[in-house]
Amino acid sequence: MCETGETAVPLPLRRERSRPVDRRVRLQGRPVDSYPALPPEAERGAVRRVTVVGEEVLGRPCREVTEFGTPELSALIDDMFVTMYVATGAGLAANQVGVDLRLFVYDCPDDEGVRHVGHLVNPVLELPEAGGRRLVDDSEGCLSVPGATMSVPRTDRAVVRGFDKDGNPLVVEGTGYFARCLQHESDHLVGHTYLDRLSKADRKDALRQMEDRREEVFARRAEKAAGLGR
């Protein structure tokens, strides 16, 4: 069998070669030749308290960001980055630090081990059409549901369009685990957590896990924050 536009080659002579993966870090959706383990934002930021499911700010849609390039927006992003690292997260939405703005940060690998780092302001999530959509059931947790993990179906591809903190347009594409991250954080900005995608029984199980493990999780976060001198 051959693809459109190719000349058929006898099977014994034909070798399929997989395209090599570009392992460079993707910063704001674009590859960079080098990048530090701890982003500059996290070096500058101050740790904030992570909100917990049940708090009102997590249950309502966030407001659009209307002012770009401000010191306040930059400081919020810095704080969100260091808070995400202290909590050992792959992404963090603004309402998870008590701020109801349409903004999230991320530092997340995809299924090929490529690291994706950045922030998105006023993001709009785009998923594949239903006919071309592939759902993957995989384990998912949330920094606002500390200590709980449950299996959640998500599409294996996602695109998010938005802006950076200075108002420049961004398009970020994700596959695998990173696509899951983009969908998870986009859910936060419309007032949902992954618990809203669970059955009643699974939601009850997740909340029970949280009650059993939350103090241990909080202790680990405090220890990590102390290690960073925050």
Side-chain angles (χ1 to χ4, degrees), residues 96-165:
Q96 291 184 275
V97 293
V99 179
D100 68 334
L101 289 177
R102 291 186 54 79
L103 160 68
F104 67 78
V105 302
Y106 60 89
D107 189 341
C108 181
D110 60 26
D111 286 359
E112 294 181 311
V114 176
R115 181 185 177 196
H116 298 260
V117 186
H119 68 271
L120 278 157
V121 180
N122 296 341
V124 176
L125 177 68
E126 298 178 3
L127 299 178
E129 295 292 335
R133 188 175 299 180
R134 177 173 173 261
L135 287 178
V136 177
D137 261 316
D138 206 350
S139 180
E140 193 165 321
C142 178
L143 301 186
S144 293
V145 191
T149 57
M150 297 296 293
S151 183
V152 182
R154 300 276 191 187
T155 65
D156 66 341
R157 293 183 173 274
V159 174
V160 178
R161 301 179 186 275
F163 302 89
D164 68 13
K165 63 184 179 181

Side-chain angles (χ1 to χ4, degrees), residues 1-226:
M1 184 176 69
C2 66
E3 296 179 2
T4 304
E6 286 188 353
T7 301
V9 178
L11 188 58
L13 299 179
R14 185 179 180 133
R15 295 180 182 178
E16 295 291 343
R17 294 183 180 180
S18 59
R19 198 167 74 179
V21 176
D22 184 346
R23 299 289 179 184
R24 290 179 295 174
V25 172
R26 301 301 195 274
L27 179 62
Q28 299 291 72
R30 297 183 177 181
V32 293
D33 291 330
S34 64
Y35 197 75
L38 191 67
E41 293 92 341
E43 296 279 6
R44 298 188 296 260
V47 177
R48 300 196 187 195
R49 188 185 74 86
V50 177
T51 53
V52 177
V53 64
E55 296 186 40
E56 192 268 342
V57 71
L58 290 174
R60 55 181 162 84
C62 294
R63 297 176 294 118
E64 293 282 310
V65 173
T66 57
E67 295 186 24
F68 293 87
T70 66
E72 293 78 11
L73 184 59
S74 293
L76 173 60
I77 290 170
D78 292 348
D79 292 354
M80 289 171 64
F81 262 102
V82 72
T83 302
M84 177 177 66
Y85 281 105
V86 163
T88 318
L92 187 72
N95 57 357
Q96 291 184 275
V97 293
V99 179
D100 68 334
L101 289 177
R102 291 186 54 79
L103 160 68
F104 67 78
V105 302
Y106 60 89
D107 189 341
C108 181
D110 60 26
D111 286 359
E112 294 181 311
V114 176
R115 181 185 177 196
H116 298 260
V117 186
H119 68 271
L120 278 157
V121 180
N122 296 341
V124 176
L125 177 68
E126 298 178 3
L127 299 178
E129 295 292 335
R133 188 175 299 180
R134 177 173 173 261
L135 287 178
V136 177
D137 261 316
D138 206 350
S139 180
E140 193 165 321
C142 178
L143 301 186
S144 293
V145 191
T149 57
M150 297 296 293
S151 183
V152 182
R154 300 276 191 187
T155 65
D156 66 341
R157 293 183 173 274
V159 174
V160 178
R161 301 179 186 275
F163 302 89
D164 68 13
K165 63 184 179 181
D166 296 314
N168 300 307
L170 290 173
V171 179
V172 176
E173 300 182 31
T175 60
Y177 185 68
F178 182 46
R180 178 172 294 273
C181 174
L182 293 174
Q183 293 168 76
H184 180 109
E185 302 309 328
S186 295
D187 272 0
H188 274 301
L189 302 184
V190 295
H192 295 158
T193 70
Y194 81 93
L195 299 182
D196 297 309
R197 295 183 174 271
L198 302 178
S199 67
K200 288 184 178 179
D202 284 346
R203 180 185 173 91
K204 185 175 180 180
D205 184 10
L207 292 173
R208 183 168 53 246
Q209 290 181 43
M210 183 181 77
E211 288 305 312
D212 290 344
R213 301 170 185 167
R214 63 191 297 174
E215 295 308 320
E216 178 185 346
V217 171
F218 292 158
R220 285 199 304 268
R221 292 178 185 176
E223 182 179 0
K224 193 165 182 180

